[in-house]
Amino acid sequence: MTTPPLLTAREKLLLTLRRRRRGSGFWYGLAIEVIWPFVMAFTRISWSGGERIPRTGGVLLAANHVSMADPIYDVAFTIVNGRMPRFLAKSELWGVPVVKWVLGRGGHIPVYRESARAGDAYRDAVKALERGEVVVFYPEATYTADPDGWPMKAKNGIGRIAMMTGVPVIPIANWGTQDLLPPGGKPRPWPRKRVTVLAGPPVDLSDYIGKPRTRTNLDGATGAIMSAVTKLVGEVRGETPPSIPFDPDARREPSGPPSALGERPAS
């Protein structure tokens, strides 16, 4: 598979007219309406594989995470393919004016990290999938810390949810958003950046679905999912991914502020 071609102005117009609007709720829908023109006009978009997202029923979209802008483009990609996505987002955002209305009334799922409510997100995600929703999951739980921007070792929460529900898991590759909005940096909208979103075929989890949720099986399911995501990122970049993903938990030295992806600290 090669990097998908750029959307033309005509294609962007048709997608704008045909994109899904039902099921967003007022505030989530308003946020999409406000942001949509900027997404279409100020970035060079290429995406492919949307037909792999089932049109009905619960679906997990497993995506790599390189920028705060990833959810914006993942929403756009999903709604032009007929589904309305829900996200897991850190609970602190539920205290931000306007944002809390977009998230809370848009059916999104708060994540209470390191608290007695940490398990609520998993239960709420399972319930959403059982209702037939599309849930977007960033298995790394934060922006990648890999110096070259490759997906890093994931938490096994997505493996747990996949094994509990048995829903299709569609891998998603995001690339280019880190140039538009680097982690910890300021927006760089000009010159217009190319942003690519690519969906792959459902991940084969037949070795894990219906099996006991042991640590070995959870790690195996999560590893299979992230392997599929990483392979797609490699296709978008036209490069071979590292054989072993970067493991942030293996780092022992103190870390400073995040640098732009692909930039290494000066020696």
Side-chain angles (χ1 to χ4, degrees):
M1 185 183 296
T2 58
T3 302
L6 292 170
L7 294 178
T8 65
R10 181 176 182 275
E11 287 172 329
K12 289 181 177 181
L13 176 60
L14 290 175
L15 291 174
T16 299
L17 296 174
R18 296 173 180 173
R19 64 184 169 86
R20 183 184 177 98
R21 291 173 170 83
R22 300 188 313 277
S24 64
F26 176 78
W27 288 104
Y28 186 21
L30 179 61
I32 294 172
E33 293 293 340
V34 170
I35 295 173
W36 186 268
F38 295 93
V39 170
M40 291 292 117
F42 293 104
T43 48
R44 301 160 59 237
I45 301 172
S46 62
W47 53 35
S48 181
E51 73 282 355
R52 290 171 167 147
I53 301 175
R55 294 299 180 261
T56 59
V59 184
L60 264 174
L61 302 185
N64 68 309
H65 203 6
V66 292
S67 167
M68 190 167 65
D70 292 334
I72 294 173
Y73 289 88
D74 292 337
V75 167
F77 180 69
T78 308
I79 63 178
V80 299
N81 286 291
R83 302 300 302 268
M84 186 61 63
R86 315 297 175 185
F87 289 80
L88 283 80
K90 59 185 180 180
S91 60
E92 291 84 352
L93 294 175
W94 264 253
V96 179
V98 181
V99 173
K100 64 181 179 180
W101 301 331
V102 172
L103 295 174
R105 300 177 188 180
H108 303 289
I109 302 165
V111 178
Y112 299 91
R113 296 176 179 173
E114 299 180 358
S115 77
R117 302 185 60 186
D120 290 356
Y122 296 106
R123 288 189 289 270
D124 291 344
V126 169
K127 290 177 182 178
L129 292 165
E130 290 174 342
R131 290 195 304 268
E133 301 274 12
V134 173
V135 175
V136 181
F137 206 104
Y138 297 104
E140 298 159 280
T142 186
Y143 314 124
T144 181
D146 181 279
D148 295 317
W150 292 104
M152 60 183 179
K153 184 179 179 181
K155 310 297 184 182
N156 65 18
I158 193 168
R160 180 180 299 276
I161 294 173
M163 289 179 66
M164 289 175 67
T165 61
V167 300
V169 180
I170 306 298
I172 301 287
N174 292 305
W175 195 248
T177 48
Q178 77 281 357
D179 298 324
L180 175 66
L181 184 57
K186 296 181 179 180
R188 302 173 180 172
W190 196 260
R192 291 195 309 158
K193 304 300 188 293
R194 179 170 188 151
V195 174
T196 301
V197 183
L198 179 63
V203 181
D204 181 5
L205 297 175
S206 57
D207 288 341
Y208 306 103
I209 301 300
K211 302 294 178 61
R213 291 192 294 275
T214 62
R215 180 62 179 267
T216 299
N217 284 336
L218 291 173
D219 288 348
T222 301
I225 293 168
M226 285 310 295
S227 177
V229 172
T230 303
K231 180 181 178 181
L232 284 180
V233 175
E235 291 180 6
V236 171
R237 295 176 57 168
E239 301 174 33
T240 301
S243 57
I244 300 175
F246 180 84
D247 184 355
D249 294 331
R251 298 167 69 184
R252 293 292 179 265
E253 70 280 7
S255 59
S259 57
L261 296 181
E263 297 178 3
R264 297 182 181 275
S267 56

mmCIF file of all heavy atoms in Angstrom, residues 49 53 127 193 198 237 251:
data_model
loop_
_atom_site.group_PDB
_atom_site.id
_atom_site.type_symbol
_atom_site.label_atom_id
_atom_site.label_comp_id
_atom_site.label_asym_id
_atom_site.label_seq_id
_atom_site.Cartn_x
_atom_site.Cartn_y
_atom_site.Cartn_z
ATOM 1 N N GLY A 49 -8.862 3.731 3.409
ATOM 2 C CA GLY A 49 -9.221 2.580 4.222
ATOM 3 C C GLY A 49 -10.481 2.759 5.032
ATOM 4 O O GLY A 49 -10.824 1.889 5.836
ATOM 5 N N ILE A 53 -14.093 0.407 8.151
ATOM 6 C CA ILE A 53 -14.831 0.666 9.388
ATOM 7 C C ILE A 53 -16.260 0.157 9.202
ATOM 8 O O ILE A 53 -16.984 0.649 8.337
ATOM 9 C CB ILE A 53 -14.857 2.171 9.717
ATOM 10 C CG1 ILE A 53 -13.433 2.712 9.867
ATOM 11 C CG2 ILE A 53 -15.669 2.421 10.986
ATOM 12 C CD1 ILE A 53 -13.364 4.214 10.073
ATOM 13 N N LYS A 127 -19.415 -0.646 27.692
ATOM 14 C CA LYS A 127 -20.840 -0.340 27.534
ATOM 15 C C LYS A 127 -21.113 0.374 26.206
ATOM 16 O O LYS A 127 -22.103 0.080 25.527
ATOM 17 C CB LYS A 127 -21.329 0.511 28.704
ATOM 18 C CG LYS A 127 -21.398 -0.221 30.031
ATOM 19 C CD LYS A 127 -21.835 0.721 31.149
ATOM 20 C CE LYS A 127 -21.868 0.011 32.493
ATOM 21 N NZ LYS A 127 -22.235 0.938 33.592
ATOM 22 N N LYS A 193 0.428 21.825 5.972
ATOM 23 C CA LYS A 193 1.017 20.515 6.237
ATOM 24 C C LYS A 193 0.169 19.403 5.637
ATOM 25 O O LYS A 193 -1.050 19.523 5.509
ATOM 26 C CB LYS A 193 1.132 20.286 7.754
ATOM 27 C CG LYS A 193 1.922 21.359 8.482
ATOM 28 C CD LYS A 193 3.350 21.473 7.987
ATOM 29 C CE LYS A 193 4.189 22.414 8.837
ATOM 30 N NZ LYS A 193 3.768 23.821 8.737
ATOM 31 N N LEU A 198 -4.761 6.581 7.804
ATOM 32 C CA LEU A 198 -4.882 5.326 7.072
ATOM 33 C C LEU A 198 -5.455 4.241 7.971
ATOM 34 O O LEU A 198 -4.959 4.037 9.086
ATOM 35 C CB LEU A 198 -3.506 4.904 6.554
ATOM 36 C CG LEU A 198 -3.398 3.598 5.774
ATOM 37 C CD1 LEU A 198 -4.214 3.677 4.487
ATOM 38 C CD2 LEU A 198 -1.935 3.285 5.463
ATOM 39 N N ARG A 237 4.872 6.240 6.156
ATOM 40 C CA ARG A 237 6.175 6.901 6.139
ATOM 41 C C ARG A 237 7.100 6.353 5.061
ATOM 42 O O ARG A 237 8.117 6.972 4.737
ATOM 43 C CB ARG A 237 6.845 6.748 7.508
ATOM 44 C CG ARG A 237 6.102 7.444 8.622
ATOM 45 C CD ARG A 237 6.712 7.200 9.997
ATOM 46 N NE ARG A 237 8.112 7.601 10.093
ATOM 47 C CZ ARG A 237 8.800 7.703 11.226
ATOM 48 N NH1 ARG A 237 8.196 7.400 12.365
ATOM 49 N NH2 ARG A 237 10.055 8.070 11.231
ATOM 50 N N ARG A 251 12.920 3.488 30.706
ATOM 51 C CA ARG A 251 13.831 4.616 30.847
ATOM 52 C C ARG A 251 14.156 4.829 32.318
ATOM 53 O O ARG A 251 13.301 4.797 33.176
ATOM 54 C CB ARG A 251 13.207 5.883 30.255
ATOM 55 C CG ARG A 251 12.939 5.760 28.758
ATOM 56 C CD ARG A 251 12.046 6.872 28.262
ATOM 57 N NE ARG A 251 12.728 8.158 28.304
ATOM 58 C CZ ARG A 251 12.130 9.312 27.995
ATOM 59 N NH1 ARG A 251 10.864 9.326 27.658
ATOM 60 N NH2 ARG A 251 12.791 10.445 28.044
#
